[in-house]
Amino acid sequence: MNGNKIIFVTLLFFQIELCAENSLAQINFSQFQNQHTFSQASQYMPSFIGEGVRKYKITFFDFYGGVSNSTFSLAAINKLSATAKWSDKTSDSIVNNLKAENTFYAGGNISLLHISLNIKNKSKNKFLSFAGGLRERVDMNALYSRNLVSLLLKGNKQFAGENVSLSPLSVNFLQCTDYFFGMKTLLSLKVGKKTLLKLKPAFQIHYLTSMANVYTENSDFSLYTQEEGRELQMNYNYNLYITSPGENIGLRGIFGQIKTKDITKNLFRCIGHGKSIDIGFGADVNDWIKINMALTDIGSISFKKQSVKYAGGGEIKFDGFITSYTETQNNFKSQADSMLMLLNPTVETAAYKVPLAAKYFSNASFNFLKKRKKNGMVYFRHTFNISYVQGFKYYLNTSKTPLLALGYNYSIGNIVNAGINTSLGGTNGKTTGANLSFQLGNYQLWFNSNNLLPLIDKKNARGLDGAFGMGIEF
């Protein structure tokens, strides 16, 4: 049991410490409140295409990454890692903190090129806006149950007379290169004498390529322990798909033999191909109130080569070893081998399709002290934001737990923009973050984090993220 405890604490520690150091979060909602990063926010909401841009903007680098988990704070993980000797009380404290379903997420994206372009009509109002570019996306999540952890730490005696589910248990990973093109149009309507309503329908299409994926299609495990402990019965059924750039996948290691040349070769040739679409809509009321909403990542990626399926299912009953007076040791080994053979999955080459992590976004901003610069750029001294994010399952960078975020941004001549934000929900639970950006002539530089709690409140910190980028705007 000590070995299981060491592994468990090590994994938890790596979730926050190691992944954060490697800068692998969910949604960069800070971009919704800063005019300097509106064009980057269009990757989540197409109605932001062309916002905060006079004529055109080229982003030549934008990075965002993070890590989060739904259960353990950084303070709790540090305490567990420093515990020299575990007791039943330690195990109880871990299990009692767990939820029925627990999640872990790590991921990030790098925008290698992002171009925004505005076209004005005769009245010099923005009529059409376009966006295009490419970015690298990496997302990984794991989902595990309280019962499974309790079984590993405290054994099965606690479940005597019960048939307990050890599910959910899944791991998903997706790397993809995203080539995208988006368009937004602006329709202005006069409502009454004093109200100007701007409607902004928008869409974005994506062509996606991938060279690595892990997809848990289904995973069901249950355990029955007879009341007097005389019999154990496990039922299991799972399908796991894996695509890898390595050779001999499924034959020599779960991901095959991966060499540097395989990664380089498949980075451009790619193994999986797919498409997706984002649909967005925005409405501005006299520019003072702006509402944007979107449904994103509606699509899938298909894998046909270098892909395998791991599958297993059945029932295992164990009521002790049958012994004989001769060859006792061989009998034990034979029976143990037979039981383990039932757990071994079947491995076969298989083409499959993996869904993307669809999400719903909405954002409302309230803007005060409108200013206009000599070059015609309009900005607001004060901006208050409310954002809502909803996923439809615990998968990649989505969570069934909705996220609600509040933010405020202060602008000094649209040269220096600074803001703070806080959120509740999602995988992190609670977060507090900040953003800072500069407009230096035509050049822009921005930094932000949605979650700085590890620096100020480790007891409530369950993740860490950060972003920085640079571009040129005309």
Side-chain angles (χ1 to χ4, degrees), residues 15 24 28 46 101 108 152 187 201 205 256 304 384 415 432:
Q15 285 180 8
L24 284 174
N28 192 5
E101 295 183 347
L152 292 174
L187 306 172
I205 54 175
K304 297 180 180 180
F384 296 87
I415 298 173
T432 298

Side-chain angles (χ1 to χ4, degrees), residues 380-391:
F380 293 86
R381 181 70 55 84
H382 305 281
T383 300
F384 296 87
N385 263 266
I386 301 175
S387 299
Y388 177 85
V389 184
Q390 176 69 67

Side-chain angles (χ1 to χ4, degrees), residues 222-239:
S222 64
L223 177 69
Y224 173 74
T225 302
Q226 196 265 346
E227 288 189 12
E228 298 179 1
R230 293 178 179 177
E231 181 181 271
L232 296 176
Q233 179 179 315
M234 176 178 281
N235 293 279
Y236 62 100
N237 180 39
Y238 63 91
N239 289 314

Side-chain angles (χ1 to χ4, degrees), residues 48-212:
F48 270 96
I49 293 174
E51 295 291 302
V53 178
R54 283 177 293 164
K55 297 179 180 179
Y56 64 90
K57 178 179 177 179
I58 301 173
T59 300
F60 40 85
F61 184 80
D62 183 48
F63 169 81
Y64 173 63
V67 60
S68 60
N69 85 100
S70 64
T71 308
F72 296 95
S73 69
L74 182 57
I77 294 173
N78 286 336
K79 183 178 178 180
L80 288 172
S81 63
T83 302
K85 186 177 181 179
W86 278 30
S87 63
D88 291 337
K89 185 178 180 180
T90 308
S91 298
D92 289 339
S93 67
I94 292 174
V95 174
N96 292 338
N97 280 324
L98 289 168
K99 303 175 183 178
E101 295 183 347
N102 304 273
T103 62
F104 162 68
Y105 169 82
N109 64 75
I110 300 176
S111 179
L112 302 174
L113 179 65
H114 189 140
I115 299 174
S116 297
L117 172 65
N118 289 319
I119 297 177
K120 297 183 178 182
N121 57 19
K122 294 180 180 179
S123 302
K124 295 185 178 181
N125 294 319
K126 296 176 184 177
F127 172 63
L128 287 175
S129 299
F130 299 93
L134 74 150
R135 59 179 174 142
E136 284 292 325
R137 302 164 58 178
V138 178
D139 293 293
M140 188 277 280
N141 84 304
L143 184 63
Y144 60 96
S145 70
R146 176 173 54 212
N147 286 340
L148 177 61
V149 176
S150 184
L151 175 67
L152 292 174
L153 294 180
K154 302 169 64 176
N156 66 303
K157 184 179 180 180
Q158 60 183 313
F159 301 129
E162 296 181 63
N163 187 11
V164 297
S165 172
L166 303 180
S167 300
L169 177 61
S170 66
V171 176
N172 296 285
F173 170 85
L174 178 63
Q175 172 277 330
C176 67
T177 302
D178 181 353
Y179 304 87
F180 60 90
F181 171 80
M183 186 178 76
K184 181 191 76 177
T185 187
L186 189 148
L187 306 172
S188 297
L189 303 173
K190 195 74 174 179
V191 181
K193 295 181 179 180
K194 297 182 179 181
T195 303
L196 179 63
L197 180 64
K198 298 178 182 178
L199 303 180
K200 303 180 292 185
F203 73 90
Q204 201 156 230
I205 54 175
H206 304 260
Y207 175 68
L208 307 164
T209 63
S210 175
M211 67 173 179

